[in-house]
Amino acid sequence: MSELLNISSIGYTAYNNPMRAIRGGDLFEEVIPAPNWQTKIVKRDASVDETVAEMLKVIKQSAWQTKALSKRLQGKDLYTTCGNIWKFLFSHIKYKEDDEGKEQLREPSLSWYLRTIRGIDCDDFSIFAGTILYNLNIPFYLRIAKYGTKTYFQHVYVIVPLLNKKYITIDTVLDE
């Protein structure tokens, strides 16, 4: 399945969504395991390549945590499935950037636990979505982005490739 995980980059303007109201998650508690309380902190000043490589490792190693959830979110076609993944993540998990100077990568079970307490950032959302797509054997890319006058990449999200250089974006930092 390693061929399903690739990296691409593009300039992009992300909407920094404040702590939004979310739905209760009782329907999903039984399919998401308890967290193991490990947060992976990528080394200080890690390069983009190092961070994305770690994200891909976390996706592969923690995909088992969303196996049952993946089946629930699978739709009749690719568009429906991707829409279900986006709706689930957007409506059940708050967004919050990591603390300044830290790049923390969380497994889905820990992200689920933190969903109401503090929220998670774009790389945690991408890891969560990536594990679901990985379980469903749906090819995807992690797209890194920078915006404004920044000289460094500061955002990551998932895209699912289609034909003719088109793709479906799964970016739960955005409102749609």
Side-chain angles (χ1 to χ4, degrees):
M1 276 224 236
S2 61
E3 68 276 2
L4 298 179
L5 303 171
N6 295 297
I7 306 165
S8 68
S9 63
I10 190 171
Y12 178 75
T13 303
Y15 172 71
N16 195 0
N17 198 334
M19 293 292 278
R20 58 187 175 233
I22 58 170
R23 294 180 181 171
D26 294 346
L27 295 172
F28 301 101
E29 294 294 337
E30 66 192 40
V31 296
I32 300 174
N36 67 9
W37 302 106
Q38 292 181 356
T39 298
K40 189 166 214 125
I41 299 178
V42 176
K43 70 180 184 179
R44 278 201 184 276
D45 300 321
S47 71
V48 171
D49 289 340
E50 290 171 319
T51 301
V52 173
E54 277 303 312
M55 289 177 67
L56 296 174
K57 283 184 200 173
V58 173
I59 288 168
K60 288 179 181 180
Q61 293 169 353
S62 62
W64 66 271
Q65 296 175 8
T66 61
K67 196 159 191 79
L69 174 64
S70 300
K71 292 176 184 170
R72 285 194 184 183
L73 297 179
Q74 187 169 22
K76 62 181 181 190
D77 58 33
L78 185 60
Y79 285 100
T80 305
T81 299
C82 290
N84 290 346
I85 294 167
W86 183 88
K87 287 176 202 163
F88 169 78
L89 293 172
F90 182 83
S91 62
H92 287 93
I93 303 175
K94 291 180 181 183
Y95 170 77
K96 183 179 185 298
E97 288 183 10
D98 279 339
D99 296 334
E100 184 78 29
K102 289 185 181 175
E103 189 55 67
Q104 299 171 304
L105 303 179
R106 296 174 184 88
E107 294 181 344
S109 61
L110 183 55
S111 291
W112 182 253
Y113 178 80
L114 295 173
R115 71 192 193 84
T116 60
I117 297 169
R118 84 167 292 290
I120 62 173
D121 72 347
C122 60
D123 40 32
D124 300 326
F125 273 115
S126 296
I127 288 168
F128 210 130
T131 63
I132 296 167
L133 294 165
Y134 185 86
N135 284 324
L136 297 174
N137 293 314
I138 297 173
F140 67 93
Y141 296 86
L142 295 176
R143 179 170 279 172
I144 54 175
K146 58 185 168 183
Y147 47 94
T149 59
K150 305 287 185 186
T151 58
Y152 54 90
F153 291 99
Q154 60 206 71
H155 186 55
V156 62
Y157 57 98
V158 171
I159 62 169
V160 175
L162 302 171
L163 299 175
N164 300 325
K165 297 184 180 182
K166 294 183 181 183
Y167 53 87
I168 299 170
T169 300
I170 302 175
D171 184 352
T172 52
V173 174
L174 300 176
D175 283 339
E176 57 183 36

